[in-house]
Amino acid sequence: MPINEALFAAMKAASYIKPNAGKSYKLQRVAEELIAKQAPANPKCRVEDAFAPMADGYAVPLRVFTPLVAYGAPLPEALEESSASGTPVASAISAILPAVLPKVLPKIPIKESTSSGNADGISGNANTELPSVTPRGTILFFHGGGWTTGGINLYTQACAHMAVRLQRRVISVEYRLAPEYRFPIAVEDCYEVARQLFAGELPISGVGGSVDVDHPQSAAPTAPAGGGDISATIPAPDPDSIVLFGDSAGGNLAAAVSLMARDRGEFMPRTQMLLYPVVGNDYNPETSPFESVRANGTDYILTAQDMADYIDMYRSSVADLTNPYFAPLTAHDLSNQPRTLVLSAEYCPLRDEDEAYARRLQLVNDNVSCYRIHDGIHGYLLNTSAVGLVATTYRIIEHFLDDTPLEPAPGTGTTANAPEGGDAWQDVLGTD
């Protein structure tokens, strides 16, 4: 589907202005934290901070989102959300900020973050009575960012919206980032959090407190920042109600955790959802087997060079490139995997590898669905201009999780209702 010409021109310009990921990831982190501080709280969701201890003494920060009202239910006027948008700040903007950040940083007004400053996730009158809801399950979420950026602060708005929209508790994981912590640290962090969740061992610390969680790039702490009692635990949910979910590098981690779980036998996820996941290992346009690396690898914010940089920053050795926990598409055996939803984006360099992974899963599992989001670019989950794409994505997720009807709809995403129209999604595997 042709993308809107004005939008394409803007994305192309941004793609050429911004420095490559390998040169800008530190500034990217600063930009993302700056953006996260501007995000309004979602009063429809309770937000709590927690920590999961690792075997090496590190405590992985978590953020837990619990929906307070049914999706679509109104709040008292005093508690209405301060933003009309249900999605967070634009990833496209954050992607180009490192190029100009040193010049504009002193001029940007900073306000204190309110994303997790109240146990009820409510701004203003915390005594206002809200309708109670029972979450339908738990989503364990792994954020994107090429294993080097992103974090629970940047994704707070997205996860709050996710919790309310899907009526599930969301646990967002702040795994350790590369290149300071290379493979397999991130996937081991995510695996251990998942293991503790399935076993009912996930400890809660500082619940309801306002904990300023920075990127964990310094020496690993031996206790949660700010202290706190870690004796309480999140009770073990019904395993059938737990969903592993990740976008981009987070999708890679979700897929890798599922493979690890099968191989180690300590627990087994029943459901996973992968949003434009990284599952391959070759982003050289001359050698990649996937045409989307060449067709979408220069002009759509995330470039093929960015992906090559992320791979180099994440891997510990060349041998990692063929490790299925690093690049799930290289796995020789994809049997006994969870029920899986793969969502690819039309203008993403990862599109073809995502769909290839879904097809390979389908060969040995009868529980795989894959949809291509038309007009989608990589990272749209964090893009306020992509409201239509996000809405389409959640309609598909609701169909996958809750068996709600999924009817074809005109594409409304980044093309802003462009006259060429077309369906908003394509069933790649023809499973519906």
Side-chain angles (χ1 to χ4, degrees), residues 363-407:
L363 290 175
V364 288
N365 304 276
D366 59 1
N367 53 3
V368 182
S369 300
C370 180
Y371 297 87
R372 178 185 297 182
I373 306 300
H374 287 166
D375 304 326
I377 62 170
H378 192 88
Y380 68 74
L381 184 67
L382 293 184
N383 197 324
T384 50
S385 67
V387 173
L389 299 178
V390 175
T392 294
T393 296
Y394 277 117
R395 289 207 311 274
I396 293 172
I397 289 174
E398 288 164 340
H399 173 69
F400 177 74
L401 292 180
D402 302 325
D403 201 29
T404 60
L406 181 61
E407 301 295 336

Side-chain angles (χ1 to χ4, degrees), residues 303-320:
T303 67
Q305 183 59 57
D306 287 336
M307 284 307 308
D309 289 349
Y310 288 137
I311 290 289
D312 286 344
M313 286 189 284
Y314 183 43
R315 67 178 177 85
S316 297
S317 68
V318 173
D320 292 340

Side-chain angles (χ1 to χ4, degrees), residues 187-188 191-192 259-267 325:
V187 68
E188 291 288 358
Y191 175 87
E192 178 58 18
L259 290 169
M260 275 186 169
R262 178 200 62 188
D263 297 342
R264 296 180 180 181
E266 295 181 287
F267 66 95
Y325 304 151

Side-chain angles (χ1 to χ4, degrees), residues 144-337:
W147 307 283
T148 67
T149 64
I152 59 178
N153 288 337
L154 184 67
Y155 276 77
T156 287
Q157 238 186 330
C159 288
H161 180 64
M162 184 188 307
V164 175
R165 175 69 189 249
L166 299 179
Q167 292 290 281
R168 286 166 170 83
R169 178 177 56 189
V170 174
I171 302 175
S172 182
V173 181
E174 180 93 315
Y175 55 85
R176 282 172 278 187
L177 299 179
E180 293 86 351
Y181 298 95
R182 293 176 179 265
F183 178 82
I185 297 298
V187 68
E188 291 288 358
D189 283 352
C190 293
Y191 175 87
E192 178 58 18
V193 172
R195 188 200 66 77
Q196 291 181 30
L197 175 63
F198 275 83
E201 300 172 0
L202 200 60
I204 298 176
S205 172
V207 172
S210 180
V211 180
D212 185 12
V213 182
D214 294 321
H215 287 290
Q217 303 309 311
S218 55
T222 56
D229 178 14
I230 61 172
S231 58
T233 61
I234 296 175
D238 177 359
D240 288 335
S241 73
I242 300 175
V243 179
L244 303 187
F245 186 20
D247 72 318
S248 191
N252 167 281
L253 295 169
V257 166
S258 292
L259 290 169
M260 275 186 169
R262 178 200 62 188
D263 297 342
R264 296 180 180 181
E266 295 181 287
F267 66 95
M268 191 60 223
R270 312 297 206 267
T271 306
Q272 65 177 353
M273 303 189 302
L274 316 176
L275 177 58
Y276 38 76
V278 184
V279 291
N281 59 14
D282 183 3
Y283 299 96
N284 183 336
E286 296 183 1
T287 58
S288 171
F290 299 114
E291 179 58 28
S292 62
V293 171
R294 288 175 283 277
N296 300 335
T298 57
D299 298 335
Y300 300 97
I301 307 299
L302 178 72
T303 67
Q305 183 59 57
D306 287 336
M307 284 307 308
D309 289 349
Y310 288 137
I311 290 289
D312 286 344
M313 286 189 284
Y314 183 43
R315 67 178 177 85
S316 297
S317 68
V318 173
D320 292 340
L321 296 176
T322 53
N323 186 322
Y325 304 151
F326 182 96
L329 193 56
T330 67
H332 296 297
D333 179 10
L334 289 177
S335 63
N336 299 317
Q337 285 302 278

Side-chain angles (χ1 to χ4, degrees), residues 31-49:
E32 290 176 349
E33 289 302 315
L34 226 154
I35 289 171
K37 288 181 182 295
Q38 311 306 306
N42 187 332
K44 297 181 180 179
C45 185
R46 183 175 69 247
V47 183
E48 303 163 310
D49 285 316

Side-chain angles (χ1 to χ4, degrees), residues 64-118:
V64 183
F65 304 82
T66 304
L68 296 174
V69 296
Y71 177 64
L75 283 177
E77 186 176 348
L79 297 182
E80 281 298 333
E81 294 180 62
S82 56
S83 172
S85 172
T87 55
V89 287
S91 59
I93 295 176
S94 70
I96 65 172
L97 265 179
V100 296
L101 192 63
K103 296 180 181 179
V104 303
L105 185 58
K107 302 177 183 179
I108 299 178
I110 303 299
K111 65 180 181 181
E112 292 301 317
S113 172
T114 59
S115 60
S116 62
N118 186 292

